[in-house]
Amino acid sequence: MSDREGHAGGGVDDELSLPKATVSKMIAEILPNDVVCAKETRDLVIECCVEFIHLISSEANEICEQESKKTIAPEHIISALKRLGFDSFTTEVEDVLKDHKQQQKDREKKVSKFEQSGLTEEELLAKQEELFAASRARYNNEKTGPPPAGS
Protein backbone atom coordinates (compact mmCIF):
# COMPACT_ATOMS: atom_id res chain seq x y z
CA MET A 1 0.00 0.00 0.00
CA SER A 2 1.42 3.38 -0.97
CA ASP A 3 1.71 6.25 1.52
CA ARG A 4 -1.24 8.09 -0.01
CA GLU A 5 -3.59 5.10 -0.01
CA GLY A 6 -3.54 5.06 3.79
CA HIS A 7 -4.80 8.66 4.14
CA ALA A 8 -8.46 9.44 4.65
CA GLY A 9 -9.96 11.14 1.64
CA GLY A 10 -7.17 10.03 -0.67
CA GLY A 11 -6.01 13.63 -1.17
CA VAL A 12 -2.49 14.96 -1.19
CA ASP A 13 -0.99 15.80 2.23
CA ASP A 14 -1.30 19.47 3.11
CA GLU A 15 2.43 19.75 3.78
CA LEU A 16 3.23 18.27 0.36
CA SER A 17 2.74 21.20 -1.94
CA LEU A 18 4.49 23.81 -4.02
CA PRO A 19 4.87 27.51 -3.16
CA LYS A 20 1.66 29.18 -4.32
CA ALA A 21 3.34 32.50 -5.09
CA THR A 22 5.96 30.82 -7.27
CA VAL A 23 3.37 28.78 -9.16
CA SER A 24 1.21 31.90 -9.63
CA LYS A 25 4.21 33.76 -11.04
CA MET A 26 5.02 30.91 -13.45
CA ILE A 27 1.41 30.72 -14.62
CA ALA A 28 1.28 34.51 -15.12
CA GLU A 29 4.49 34.38 -17.20
CA ILE A 30 3.02 31.69 -19.47
CA LEU A 31 -0.44 33.20 -19.98
CA PRO A 32 -1.12 36.17 -22.25
CA ASN A 33 -1.38 39.51 -20.39
CA ASP A 34 -5.15 39.69 -20.86
CA VAL A 35 -5.79 36.24 -19.28
CA VAL A 36 -6.06 35.72 -15.52
CA CYS A 37 -5.81 32.43 -13.66
CA ALA A 38 -8.38 31.76 -10.92
CA LYS A 39 -7.16 30.70 -7.47
CA GLU A 40 -8.94 27.35 -7.83
CA THR A 41 -7.16 26.77 -11.15
CA ARG A 42 -3.78 27.56 -9.60
CA ASP A 43 -4.54 25.13 -6.75
CA LEU A 44 -5.50 22.44 -9.27
CA VAL A 45 -2.25 23.00 -11.19
CA ILE A 46 -0.34 22.61 -7.91
CA GLU A 47 -2.19 19.37 -7.11
CA CYS A 48 -1.41 18.02 -10.59
CA CYS A 49 2.28 18.92 -10.24
CA VAL A 50 2.50 17.25 -6.84
CA GLU A 51 0.78 14.14 -8.21
CA PHE A 52 3.20 14.09 -11.16
CA ILE A 53 6.16 14.33 -8.78
CA HIS A 54 4.75 11.45 -6.71
CA LEU A 55 4.26 9.35 -9.82
CA ILE A 56 7.79 9.93 -11.14
CA SER A 57 9.47 9.51 -7.74
CA SER A 58 7.56 6.28 -7.01
CA GLU A 59 8.58 4.82 -10.37
CA ALA A 60 12.17 5.99 -9.89
CA ASN A 61 12.19 4.39 -6.45
CA GLU A 62 11.05 1.07 -7.94
CA ILE A 63 13.83 1.26 -10.54
CA CYS A 64 16.31 2.10 -7.82
CA GLU A 65 15.21 -0.90 -5.71
CA GLN A 66 15.40 -3.22 -8.75
CA GLU A 67 19.02 -2.14 -9.17
CA SER A 68 19.63 -2.72 -5.43
CA LYS A 69 20.54 0.92 -4.96
CA LYS A 70 19.72 2.98 -1.89
CA THR A 71 19.79 6.42 -3.49
CA ILE A 72 17.63 7.60 -6.37
CA ALA A 73 19.97 8.96 -9.03
CA PRO A 74 19.12 11.30 -11.91
CA GLU A 75 19.34 8.31 -14.25
CA HIS A 76 16.51 6.65 -12.29
CA ILE A 77 14.30 9.70 -12.86
CA ILE A 78 15.06 9.64 -16.59
CA SER A 79 14.27 5.91 -16.74
CA ALA A 80 11.03 6.52 -14.82
CA LEU A 81 9.99 9.21 -17.31
CA LYS A 82 10.61 6.80 -20.19
CA ARG A 83 8.75 3.92 -18.49
CA LEU A 84 5.74 6.13 -17.83
CA GLY A 85 5.56 7.39 -21.41
CA PHE A 86 7.08 10.83 -20.86
CA ASP A 87 9.91 10.27 -23.36
CA SER A 88 9.45 13.79 -24.72
CA PHE A 89 10.56 15.19 -21.34
CA THR A 90 13.87 13.31 -21.18
CA THR A 91 15.88 15.54 -23.52
CA GLU A 92 15.09 18.65 -21.51
CA VAL A 93 15.72 16.83 -18.22
CA GLU A 94 19.09 15.60 -19.51
CA ASP A 95 20.00 19.15 -20.59
CA VAL A 96 19.11 20.53 -17.16
CA LEU A 97 21.15 17.74 -15.55
CA LYS A 98 24.19 18.63 -17.71
CA ASP A 99 23.83 22.31 -16.78
CA HIS A 100 23.56 21.40 -13.09
CA LYS A 101 26.67 19.21 -13.21
CA GLN A 102 28.60 21.99 -14.97
CA GLN A 103 27.50 24.51 -12.34
CA GLN A 104 28.67 22.13 -9.61
CA LYS A 105 32.09 21.79 -11.30
CA ASP A 106 32.37 25.57 -11.71
CA ARG A 107 31.44 26.12 -8.08
CA GLU A 108 34.13 23.67 -6.94
CA LYS A 109 36.75 25.46 -9.06
CA LYS A 110 36.06 28.85 -7.51
CA VAL A 111 38.63 29.78 -4.91
CA SER A 112 37.30 31.62 -1.90
CA LYS A 113 38.31 35.23 -1.22
CA PHE A 114 39.99 34.01 1.95
CA GLU A 115 42.25 31.67 -0.02
CA GLN A 116 42.93 34.36 -2.66
CA SER A 117 43.98 36.93 -0.08
CA GLY A 118 47.10 35.03 0.96
CA LEU A 119 46.58 36.29 4.53
CA THR A 120 46.16 34.22 7.66
CA GLU A 121 42.87 34.22 9.50
CA GLU A 122 44.42 36.34 12.27
CA GLU A 123 45.63 38.94 9.73
CA LEU A 124 42.18 39.08 8.14
CA LEU A 125 40.54 39.52 11.56
CA ALA A 126 42.95 42.37 12.37
CA LYS A 127 42.10 44.07 9.04
CA GLN A 128 38.40 43.63 9.79
CA GLU A 129 38.83 45.26 13.21
CA GLU A 130 40.68 48.19 11.57
CA LEU A 131 37.81 48.65 9.11
CA PHE A 132 35.25 48.53 11.94
CA ALA A 133 37.25 51.12 13.92
CA ALA A 134 37.52 53.43 10.90
CA SER A 135 33.80 53.05 10.23
CA ARG A 136 32.96 53.81 13.88
CA ALA A 137 35.17 56.91 13.76
CA ARG A 138 33.46 58.17 10.59
CA TYR A 139 30.04 57.51 12.11
CA ASN A 140 30.92 59.34 15.31
CA ASN A 141 32.31 62.34 13.35
CA GLU A 142 29.15 62.53 11.23
CA LYS A 143 26.99 62.23 14.34
CA THR A 144 28.70 65.07 16.20
CA GLY A 145 29.27 67.08 13.06
CA PRO A 146 32.19 69.39 12.30
CA PRO A 147 33.27 71.88 14.96
CA PRO A 148 31.36 75.19 14.81
CA ALA A 149 32.95 77.92 12.62
CA GLY A 150 34.96 80.56 14.48
CA SER A 151 35.81 78.36 17.46
Side-chain angles (χ1 to χ4, degrees), residues 77-139:
I77 299 295
I78 292 167
S79 295
L81 287 168
K82 289 177 181 175
R83 267 197 198 180
L84 294 169
F86 295 106
D87 298 65
S88 61
F89 289 23
T90 57
T91 302
E92 190 170 351
V93 169
E94 288 167 344
D95 291 345
V96 169
L97 178 59
K98 279 183 207 165
D99 289 346
H100 174 72
K101 285 181 178 180
Q102 186 59 50
Q103 287 175 2
Q104 292 301 104
K105 283 181 186 176
D106 294 347
R107 196 171 293 141
E108 290 169 9
K109 288 179 185 176
K110 286 185 180 175
V111 180
S112 73
K113 286 184 179 181
F114 170 73
E115 292 168 340
Q116 286 178 347
S117 73
L119 301 173
T120 66
E121 190 171 349
E122 292 79 23
E123 291 169 324
L124 287 170
L125 286 171
K127 275 189 169 274
Q128 184 180 37
E129 284 303 318
E130 287 175 29
L131 291 170
F132 285 154
S135 181
R136 265 192 298 279
R138 274 196 311 275
Y139 174 75

Side-chain angles (χ1 to χ4, degrees), residues 20 28 45 58 62 65 67 114 118 142 146:
K20 290 180 179 180
V45 168
S58 295
E62 283 184 30
E65 286 176 353
E67 294 179 3
F114 170 73
E142 289 173 6

Side-chain angles (χ1 to χ4, degrees), residues 2-20:
S2 78
D3 291 345
R4 288 183 298 109
E5 289 171 354
H7 295 298
V12 177
D13 290 346
D14 286 338
E15 73 249 13
L16 300 176
S17 188
L18 297 173
K20 290 180 179 180

